[in-house]
Amino acid sequence: MYLTCLDLEGVLTPEMWILTAEQAGIPELRVTTREEPDYDKLMRYRIRIMKEHGLKIQDMQQAIAKADPLPGARKFLDELRTFSQVIIVSDCFEQLARPLIAKLGYPTIFCHELVADGEGTITDYRMRIRKDTKLTTVKAFQQLGFDTVASGDSYNDLDMIRASKAGFLFRTTGQIKKDNPDIPALETYDELLSAIRSAEKQ
């Protein structure tokens, strides 16, 4: 039995922190896991920048609600789900992902939670799993009897890709491709659909 594990941001949707950065005019928030592999360091940086600029969680939600999934993402996901069970395994946050998940047809998503005070100031974040979240998730699925196929675009996707029976980088950076030449790097949804279909036939 196969289970496809997909990253969300950069694979199916725009990067939510970049959407916020553009809407609020705060370029410092454009940094993502593509550039900073240390997730805790990245989140502490984001929380500090938001506090400095007085940006609230509701500001992020409003910016994200205006966005759509990446072109072709909904069609890709709908077709993928005709032959594979799919779980979105993301390091995004439940309060931010809701509007885009709705536009994708409500796929199942495993993600984290932001902590905010009564005024909406983000004070902390809660990880669904404290360490190696994506790797731990695919290993748990494997213990349940699933062969996993995984795809993502960032440093934090590499462990789940390597731990799966088949894995693919998708629309990633040149540096990540260079650092991981053994992982197939794909650019279109048709390529990714074909690769997943082929992997699940083996």
Side-chain angles (χ1 to χ4, degrees), residues 84-152:
S84 180
Q85 297 185 73
V86 181
I87 301 285
I88 310 300
V89 184
S90 175
D91 277 336
C92 73
F93 298 93
E94 190 269 339
Q95 301 101 314
L96 306 182
R98 288 176 196 155
L100 289 171
I101 288 298
K103 293 175 183 180
L104 287 168
Y106 295 101
T108 299
I109 180 169
F110 291 1
C111 57
H112 310 306
E113 182 181 23
L114 288 169
V115 179
D117 64 19
E119 295 182 353
T121 299
I122 298 172
T123 59
D124 204 352
Y125 69 102
R126 293 193 189 101
M127 300 284 281
R128 182 177 52 82
I129 300 170
R130 198 66 219 170
K131 185 178 179 184
D132 299 328
T133 57
K134 296 187 179 187
L135 175 61
T136 301
T137 300
V138 297
K139 284 186 173 181
F141 288 140
Q142 290 162 2
Q143 289 176 350
L144 291 171
F146 292 98
D147 284 320
T148 57
V149 178
S151 184

Side-chain angles (χ1 to χ4, degrees), residues 15-187:
E15 294 281 351
M16 297 179 197
W17 291 90
I18 292 179
L19 289 173
T20 302
E22 293 174 349
Q23 185 78 16
I26 306 173
E28 297 96 321
L29 288 177
R30 292 184 61 86
V31 180
T32 72
T33 51
R34 286 180 168 210
E35 295 83 30
E36 176 51 71
D38 185 325
Y39 192 72
D40 185 67
K41 181 179 177 181
L42 176 61
M43 281 306 303
R44 298 299 168 196
Y45 167 81
R46 286 168 167 170
I47 291 170
R48 176 174 60 81
I49 294 298
M50 290 189 70
K51 284 182 179 178
E52 288 176 358
H53 290 270
L55 207 62
K56 311 292 187 182
I57 191 171
Q58 51 266 34
D59 298 319
M60 291 196 71
Q61 291 170 325
Q62 290 170 9
I64 293 164
K66 296 176 183 177
D68 290 314
L70 296 174
R74 174 67 186 265
K75 181 181 177 182
F76 158 77
L77 194 57
D78 286 347
E79 185 168 348
L80 176 60
R81 292 162 78 181
T82 67
F83 67 86
S84 180
Q85 297 185 73
V86 181
I87 301 285
I88 310 300
V89 184
S90 175
D91 277 336
C92 73
F93 298 93
E94 190 269 339
Q95 301 101 314
L96 306 182
R98 288 176 196 155
L100 289 171
I101 288 298
K103 293 175 183 180
L104 287 168
Y106 295 101
T108 299
I109 180 169
F110 291 1
C111 57
H112 310 306
E113 182 181 23
L114 288 169
V115 179
D117 64 19
E119 295 182 353
T121 299
I122 298 172
T123 59
D124 204 352
Y125 69 102
R126 293 193 189 101
M127 300 284 281
R128 182 177 52 82
I129 300 170
R130 198 66 219 170
K131 185 178 179 184
D132 299 328
T133 57
K134 296 187 179 187
L135 175 61
T136 301
T137 300
V138 297
K139 284 186 173 181
F141 288 140
Q142 290 162 2
Q143 289 176 350
L144 291 171
F146 292 98
D147 284 320
T148 57
V149 178
S151 184
D153 69 322
S154 298
Y155 284 105
N156 64 337
D157 298 309
L158 294 173
D159 285 344
M160 79 167 180
I161 288 172
R162 292 190 181 283
S164 294
K165 184 169 184 179
F168 312 98
L169 290 166
F170 186 72
R171 296 179 181 171
T172 190
T173 66
Q175 187 62 51
I176 293 176
K177 288 181 190 177
K178 182 179 177 181
D179 292 343
N180 301 274
D182 57 311
I183 302 176
L186 310 177
E187 295 296 328

